[in-house]
Amino acid sequence: MGSITPPKPWIETPLIESSPLSEAAGCRIFLKLENLQPAGSFKTRGIGNLLLQSLLKHPEPSKVHFYCSSGGNAGLACVTAAASLGHPATVVVPQSTKPLMIAKIKAAGASDVIQIGANWKEADTFLKERVLSKDPNGVYVPPFDHPDVWEGNSTMIPEIGRQMAAKGEHGVDAVVCSVGGGGLFSGIMLGLEREQWGGNVQVLALETDGAQSLHESIKLGTLATLPQITSIATSLGASRVAPKALELALKHKVKSAVLSDAEAAMGCWRLADDERMIVEAACGINVSVCYGGRLKKLLLGLTPESKVLIVVCGGSNITLETLMHYREEYGHIEASTFGEREEST
């Protein structure tokens, strides 16, 4: 008897056209709801695929134990995907990881959650040198910099193509996604290279000020390392992007933009108000460009009929309390944003 291929740890997520965001942006806005993945973010695709491919390649897959270093969402995706595949997973998180995320990772079924190190790099080093080295059947799970992660994330693009076709549409004109370490971005770019949607699909890569490692790398034409992460969008907090992300950004002349924490926070509460969804600031930044004429300033040539895809990447490090805090601290930007929109119409 041949071996049985394990089931995919990720799901096909809905694609919806948003009337409120389309009206705000002045073009057709489609939302890819990756926040509905089993672990609450797109990470389930890429990391789920890495786990799946590791099991298919391992000589004794039944003995595999997965190990991931993460500040939150990648670890949660690893544990959730591993559990769905019937395997244990251990996560090492830095001291900066909030109790909320640690509790969620444990609740998802982690074998162990170890908190150590001032940042992700220190947690990752501890995992490799002190934990993974003791398990001959351990498999390392990188959060973003691996071909299997990119391939898993790339499955989103043909899926979107099929969903658009079911709506009587052919592809999209532009894609908006936020960038942290570059795993999602790389997957999207690889997926777009394979799809034949006709013409040139514009890609807008967004980062917050204080987590703009791709933007700085594009400016320099080589990999840049941020001295520290100062943005509230901690899920975008990779001090250095994956080399593949920079390679693809330069190859395709991707539009890179840096927005403020206030704009990212506004995107969170506007999405909650307009579409009844709660996401992290790392995802809210994608929504924020729909307001105040931002999208048309960043992507030239958009018309009312242009189809713009926004990846609602999700993220579990968010609560109603945090959302209320964002609105209290950054509420001033909403008045100026809608004032801008009124002046431009």
Side-chain angles (χ1 to χ4, degrees):
M1 293 178 63
S3 58
I4 299 174
T5 302
K8 291 188 302 183
W10 67 93
I11 64 170
E12 179 173 311
T13 56
L15 176 73
I16 65 170
E17 185 169 4
S18 170
S19 296
L21 270 63
S22 296
E23 181 181 357
C27 59
R28 299 177 68 188
I29 299 294
F30 292 84
L31 303 178
K32 183 58 172 167
L33 304 182
E34 288 297 287
N35 56 316
L36 300 182
Q37 287 290 354
S41 80
F42 76 94
K43 292 280 188 182
T44 301
R45 279 187 198 267
I47 288 179
N49 185 60
L50 186 143
L51 267 58
L52 190 61
Q53 297 306 317
S54 297
L55 291 175
L56 293 174
K57 297 170 188 174
H58 201 279
E60 296 184 275
S62 63
K63 297 182 179 180
V64 167
H65 187 128
F66 294 105
Y67 293 86
C68 182
S69 57
S70 164
N73 288 309
L76 183 58
C78 176
V79 171
T80 303
S84 74
L85 294 168
H87 287 266
T90 293
V91 181
V92 178
V93 301
Q95 294 291 348
S96 57
T97 301
K98 295 180 180 178
L100 171 69
M101 285 304 298
I102 293 175
K104 287 187 176 184
I105 293 170
K106 288 180 177 178
S111 298
D112 195 9
V113 180
I114 303 168
Q115 189 170 27
I116 194 167
N119 51 47
W120 170 76
K121 187 63 178 176
E122 290 185 8
D124 188 58
T125 299
F126 180 86
L127 170 64
K128 290 175 178 176
E129 295 180 355
R130 304 285 297 276
V131 182
L132 185 60
S133 60
K134 298 177 181 179
D135 187 347
N137 292 303
V139 171
Y140 175 64
V141 181
F144 57 83
D145 193 4
H146 194 284
D148 288 341
V149 172
W150 311 331
E151 285 301 317
N153 290 331
S154 76
T155 63
M156 191 186 309
I157 298 302
E159 187 174 295
I160 291 166
R162 293 191 299 271
Q163 292 172 319
M164 290 296 289
K167 298 176 185 293
E169 306 282 354
H170 181 64
V172 298
D173 300 305
V175 177
V176 178
C177 77
S178 51
V179 180
L184 171 61
F185 172 77
S186 297
I188 287 173
M189 296 308 298
L190 292 171
L192 288 173
E193 285 183 347
R194 298 171 192 143
E195 286 295 304
Q196 299 298 318
W197 287 348
N200 294 317
V201 177
Q202 297 187 75
V203 177
L204 176 59
L206 296 174
E207 296 168 286
T208 47
D209 188 20
Q212 72 281 20
S213 53
L214 177 63
H215 189 76
E216 296 301 321
S217 297
I218 290 173
K219 285 200 301 184
L220 293 174
T222 188
L223 288 171
T225 302
L226 300 180
Q228 60 180 334
I229 302 299
T230 57
S231 171
I232 63 169
T234 53
S235 292
L236 301 183
S239 59
R240 188 181 179 103
V241 295
K244 189 67 173 180
L246 177 60
E247 174 194 325
L248 290 165
L250 294 175
K251 176 182 177 181
H252 294 284
K253 296 182 172 61
V254 165
K255 174 68 175 180
S256 168
V258 179
L259 276 64
S260 67
D261 278 350
E263 289 170 299
M266 181 192 70
C268 293
W269 76 66
R270 289 306 314 174
L271 187 64
D273 285 348
D274 290 341
E275 290 292 354
R276 304 165 306 284
M277 299 177 195
I278 299 178
V279 297
E280 288 185 20
C283 179
I285 189 176
N286 296 334
V287 178
S288 69
V289 295
C290 293
Y291 303 98
R294 289 173 175 82
L295 190 58
K296 287 189 174 180
K297 291 175 184 175
L298 292 168
L299 295 178
L300 301 179
L302 293 182
T303 70
E305 296 306 311
S306 296
K307 297 169 290 186
V308 178
L309 173 80
I310 292 181
V311 181
V312 182
C313 47
S316 295
N317 192 17
I318 185 70
T319 63
L320 283 173
E321 182 181 1
T322 302
L323 204 60
M324 292 170 65
H325 169 72
Y326 283 169
R327 200 159 202 166
E328 289 173 4
E329 183 169 354
Y330 301 111
H332 61 87
I333 196 171
E334 191 167 50
S336 61
T337 289
F338 286 102
E340 275 183 28
R341 199 178 79 186
E342 288 169 2
E343 289 172 9
S344 65
T345 56

